[in-house]
Structure formats: structure tokens, C-alpha cells
Amino acid sequence: LDEVFVLEEALAVMQHHDAVSGTAKQHVTDDYALRLSIGMNSCSSAMSSAMGGDTTFCHSLNISSCSFTENRTDFLVNVYNPLVREVKNVYVRVPVVGSEGWRVVGPDGVVVESQVVMIPLEVTRIPGREGGAEFEVVWRVDSLLGLGWGVYRLSQSGDDAGQKSVLLRKGPGKGFS
Amino acid sequence: REDFTISNDVGLTVTFSGESGLVKGISLDGQTVDLDQNFYFYEGMSGNNSKFEFRASGAYIFRPNVSSTSAAPTMITSNIFSYHVYQGDLLTEVHQVFTDWVSQVVRVYKGRKEVEFEWLVGPVPVGDSIGREIITRYSTNLATSATFQTDANGRELLTRKRDFRPTWDYKVNEPIAGNYYPVNSRIILQDETNGVSLVVLNDRAQGGSSMNDGEVELMLHRRLLFDDAFGVGEALNESAFGEGLVVRGRHWVILGGKDPAPLHRPLAQEIFMDRIISFAPYEESNAINPKIL
């Protein structure tokens, strides 16, 4: 609980100060980001302990980057549903380096349908984005119970590999020059 | 150069112009709506804040320079630079590059009824000393009678009417900003006559409006060069790595009937309380792995 409280306090301070909205001087905003980062790391540690394993969180998934998955060819992905109701037919994306041979095995040990998609070049060129992920493995989660989770194993085994996206069509716009 | 479509197994189809590469229509469950989507910018008002008319657009105040833009935003480009269509059994997506600082992916997933727009904007160019406030606009042929709906902190949906306030006589001083409202989770257009609605859900709170009937616009990014004199003392001109910030985010567009709530309410919950993803190495010899699995 002490570890969780670090994030709780940081969020309370930031809500009180109307933080992360551009209405503060840059050095103050930098301090908000620092407090938030410390709180998130602390909370991640608590969640990792709760799950009883060597768990890692990736905070750059919003720019399709994750140093953990980019450096492995066999790993587990835990998908947790924070809603109190069941969700069905939702999709998960994980950035990876190579596009070949990715297989996704679901919680019941059965290979699930997956697809490897290309990350747009413009995303890979975002200033400050680290890592070399050029693809994402996408798969469908049929069902997650309320406050429940499912663990998926991703491996670049080559057997039962998922599908790769096919370039169907391309074209320059009229303004191409 | 012919128009093309992407679609899925539940009857969702998005039509694109083969000529321009832009979205031009959406259909679901037998309903079809013309849908144009593009990116625009408002020029931010500059000024020294000495008088009302010199008030600058900044962190607290959205104030486009309506005199230079004739109260209409400038389209970033009418024809995108390039597009690529990638198809698979689970999803089909169209990668669109508008300019060197605006690009987007439009996605349709198997079994899902919403269209996903994932936009990437920035660094916003300001080399000409003009601050820019970037919006995306979804234009339809729906007859909306100057009204639209926005949510209040993700709960009650409130009906907004252009250039109107329900409890006082409204005098229009700010034709654009005066019609902007907070959009915390969704903004909705409804055509009562034809029983058609268009819902746009966002992944973060944004400003939004409907400046013309059948249109929805949401503000994605702002880079401004003047302080608005509300105490910050700095312009909203954030930078990283020597450049302006880049933002990436998503909108989900749903085509619904007279009552779209059964579609957008569950989805909004799923967006707000999104799945939390964590990772662990897999090692056959690690006793914890089978336990987790």
C-alpha cells in the first residue's frame, strides 16, 4: 500500500494544481512528470509483487515502443481488465522487431489467430523514440472477465505462425511531388 | 484512381477516394453516410493582452485569429502525400501521410463496429511566426439543425446549440471559441429526421465543436507563440529534442441509429478503463511461468 500511495499522492498533487494542461511553467511541468514517473514505477513494483513474478510494464506503448518485447523472441503478455464487467472481442498490440513467425498461445494453451502489422514509418521517426520495433503483433482476446486477466505467450517459433498483413494497394495522393 | 473500401465481417465498410486517398464514406447495418475527414489548423491570435482585442491565444484561452482565417480553419492539405492499404484476416488498415508532420492510420477490426482513426501530429511548424492549433474534422451529410452533444466528465450527455446559450441572450464575440466545449469522452451528431447518428469517441479530453451542420471537429494539438497573460508567463510552445512536441492518439467513429447509446456507452467504458498490459520473460525452467499461465 505504501508503494501505491506514492502514485496516489502524485496524482492528488497534480489534480489540485491543474497539472499537465500547459497552464504551468515548463520547469513546474517537468517536476509533475518526475513525480508521476516515480509514482508509476512504485505502483508497477506493487503490481509486479501482486502477480508473483518478474513483471515489466512498458510506458512507451503509446508510440509502439517497448524495450522488453523488442529484445525477446519468447515472452508472456498479461492482459488485465480493470472493468468490473466482462469484455469481449478486444484487441491487443505488442511492438516487436522482426515480422516473421510470431505465434500467440492463449490461456488455454491453444494458438490464437494473430496478425503482424507494420508500424508507420512516421511513428518510428518520432524524435526521442528509442528501440527498433517496426512491427506490431495484434491478436484478439475473445473474453476477459471483470477484474480478470489472461496470459498469452508470444514466441517467434515459426510453427503455427500468425498471418502477416498484405500490402493490398498503394498510391500517391494527387498532390504528390 | 478508383475509390476503394475496407470492411469487416459485421458489415462495417469505410470508403476512400482513390484520387485523394481520403475517407469519403462509412456504412454499417445498411446505413450509409457521406463522411469526409481531414486535418486543419486555426491560426492562434497573437497580441500583448493590453486590450481585449489584443488578447493572445494561449494555454487558458483558445482564441483563433478569425480576421486572418475568415472564421474558418485552413486545410492542411486537400490531397494526401501517399497512402498504403494493408489487409489481413483480423484487421485492415490504411496508412495515410498528409504532410511531413501529419499522418494517420484508419483501421477496421474483425467483429468490431467502430472505425479507428489513429493520428500523429507534430512537430507543428511555426517558422513563419504563426502559432497553430490543429484540428481534425469529420464532415457528414447529416441534418443536425445547429445542435450536437458533448459529455460532461464522461457522464451526462448535454445538447449544445451553435451560437446559443439556454439561460441568457448570447452575443457572439468569438465565433469559433464561443462554440467550443470540453469533450471528455465523446461528441455526437444526430439527424432526428432520418434517425442516423455519428459518434466520435476520443482517448483524452479535447476541445470540440460542430461549426457547421453535420460536422464535428476536435482539437488535437496546439503550438502557440504568445502568453495569454493568465499567470503562466510562458507561451504554450512545448519542445523536446529541439523540436515541437509530437502527439499520437485515437478517435473511434461509430455510425448509429436513432439511439446510439448501446454502441457508444460500452465502448467508452472500455476506452476509459483500457486493458493494462504487462510482460514477463518465458523460461521453461522458471517455475513461476507455468503457474502464471
Side-chain angles (χ1 to χ4, degrees), chain A residues 18 21-27 29 47 51-58 61-64 66 68-69 72 74-83 85-95 105-107 113-115 117-123 126-129 136 138-140 144 149 151-153 163-177, chain B residues 1-6 9 17-21 59-60 77 79-93 95-97 99-100 102-105 107 109-112 116 118 120 123 222 231-241 243-244 246 248 250 265-267 269-270 273-284 286 288-289 291-293:
Chain A
D18 187 20
S21 67
T23 54
K25 285 184 185 294
Q26 189 60 48
H27 68 271
T29 301
M47 288 180 74
M51 289 157 64
D54 182 13
T55 306
T56 300
F57 293 83
C58 286
L61 289 173
N62 63 335
I63 51 170
S64 302
C66 174
F68 183 92
T69 61
R72 282 173 177 78
D74 197 353
F75 54 89
L76 302 174
V77 182
N78 182 27
V79 186
Y80 171 66
N81 171 25
L83 279 173
R85 65 166 170 83
E86 182 184 16
V87 292
K88 290 181 177 176
N89 191 24
V90 293
Y91 286 83
V92 178
R93 295 179 157 255
V94 170
V105 178
E113 196 178 7
S114 64
Q115 188 174 329
V117 300
M118 183 180 277
I119 297 171
L121 270 180
E122 295 70 37
V123 173
I126 291 173
R129 182 181 183 271
E136 281 179 311
V138 184
W139 71 94
R140 183 163 71 171
L144 277 176
W149 68 81
V151 180
Y152 293 78
R153 181 183 172 192
Q163 187 188 42
K164 281 171 65 179
S165 291
V166 177
L167 177 61
L168 195 68
R169 179 189 177 112
K170 64 177 179 178
K174 198 176 176 183
F176 181 83
S177 61
Chain B
R1 293 296 180 190
E2 290 173 2
D3 292 354
F4 60 97
T5 61
I6 59 174
D9 58 331
S17 162
E19 187 73 21
S20 68
Y60 283 91
T77 179
N79 291 288
I80 64 180
F81 181 73
S82 68
Y83 65 85
H84 292 77
V85 185
Y86 294 98
Q87 192 178 45
D89 286 343
L90 279 183
L91 69 146
T92 302
E93 52 187 28
H95 295 201
Q96 302 170 315
V97 179
T99 69
D100 55 351
V102 178
S103 61
Q104 178 176 251
V105 179
R107 279 188 198 105
Y109 286 100
K110 184 179 177 182
R112 304 290 311 191
E116 184 174 294
E118 187 167 45
L120 182 75
R222 314 176 72 203
V232 181
E234 290 178 3
L236 186 64
N237 183 12
E238 300 160 287
S239 62
F241 306 99
E243 298 184 85
V246 178
R248 190 188 193 199
R250 284 178 289 177
R265 291 236 174 245
L267 179 59
Q269 283 183 340
E270 290 173 21
M273 299 287 273
D274 198 3
R275 273 75 61 196
I276 296 173
I277 312 293
S278 58
F279 305 93
Y282 185 85
E283 294 157 11
E284 296 286 354
N286 187 343
I288 203 78
N289 284 165
K291 187 179 164 191
I292 290 177
L293 274 171

Side-chain angles (χ1 to χ4, degrees), chain B residues 89-236:
Chain B
D89 286 343
L90 279 183
L91 69 146
T92 302
E93 52 187 28
V94 179
H95 295 201
Q96 302 170 315
V97 179
F98 288 74
T99 69
D100 55 351
W101 55 279
V102 178
S103 61
Q104 178 176 251
V105 179
V106 184
R107 279 188 198 105
V108 168
Y109 286 100
K110 184 179 177 182
R112 304 290 311 191
K113 291 193 168 183
E114 67 278 1
V115 187
E116 184 174 294
F117 291 78
E118 187 167 45
W119 35 266
L120 182 75
V121 179
V124 176
V126 291
D128 53 3
S129 301
I130 295 173
R132 289 183 169 79
E133 320 207 28
I134 317 303
I135 63 161
T136 185
R137 180 182 277 177
Y138 302 89
S139 305
T140 71
N141 54 347
L142 300 186
T144 52
S145 308
T147 61
F148 56 105
Q149 292 180 306
T150 62
D151 67 297
N153 289 327
R155 293 190 287 260
E156 186 185 14
L157 282 163
L158 299 176
T159 298
R160 316 293 192 179
K161 188 172 181 183
R162 213 161 45 242
D163 295 330
F164 177 79
R165 298 292 186 275
T167 51
W168 76 91
D169 292 332
Y170 182 64
K171 182 188 172 193
V172 178
N173 285 315
E174 297 283 350
I176 308 294
N179 286 306
Y180 257 67
Y181 290 89
V183 180
N184 295 285
S185 69
R186 77 209 80 172
I187 183 166
I188 300 175
L189 293 175
Q190 283 196 298
D191 184 334
E192 302 281 354
T193 310
N194 296 305
V196 183
S197 56
L198 188 91
V199 187
V200 182
L201 296 108
N202 51 359
D203 63 351
R204 69 199 67 188
Q206 295 173 317
S209 186
S210 173
M211 296 308 305
N212 297 292
D213 282 4
E215 284 184 1
V216 159
E217 63 184 61
L218 287 162
M219 185 169 291
L220 309 179
H221 198 0
R222 314 176 72 203
R223 191 177 184 194
L224 299 163
L225 305 175
F226 293 86
D227 174 45
D228 59 9
F230 271 80
V232 181
E234 290 178 3
L236 186 64

Side-chain angles (χ1 to χ4, degrees), chain B residues 38-95:
Chain B
N38 209 328
F39 295 87
Y40 303 76
F41 67 85
Y42 289 107
E43 291 183 14
M45 183 70 188
S46 56
N48 58 14
N49 308 299
S50 59
K51 288 182 176 178
F52 178 82
E53 54 267 39
F54 300 147
R55 256 159 101 178
S57 194
Y60 283 91
I61 297 178
F62 166 41
R63 191 165 192 238
N65 186 347
V66 292
S67 61
S68 72
T69 60
S70 306
T74 305
M75 185 183 284
I76 288 171
T77 179
S78 57
N79 291 288
I80 64 180
F81 181 73
S82 68
Y83 65 85
H84 292 77
V85 185
Y86 294 98
Q87 192 178 45
D89 286 343
L90 279 183
L91 69 146
T92 302
E93 52 187 28
V94 179
H95 295 201

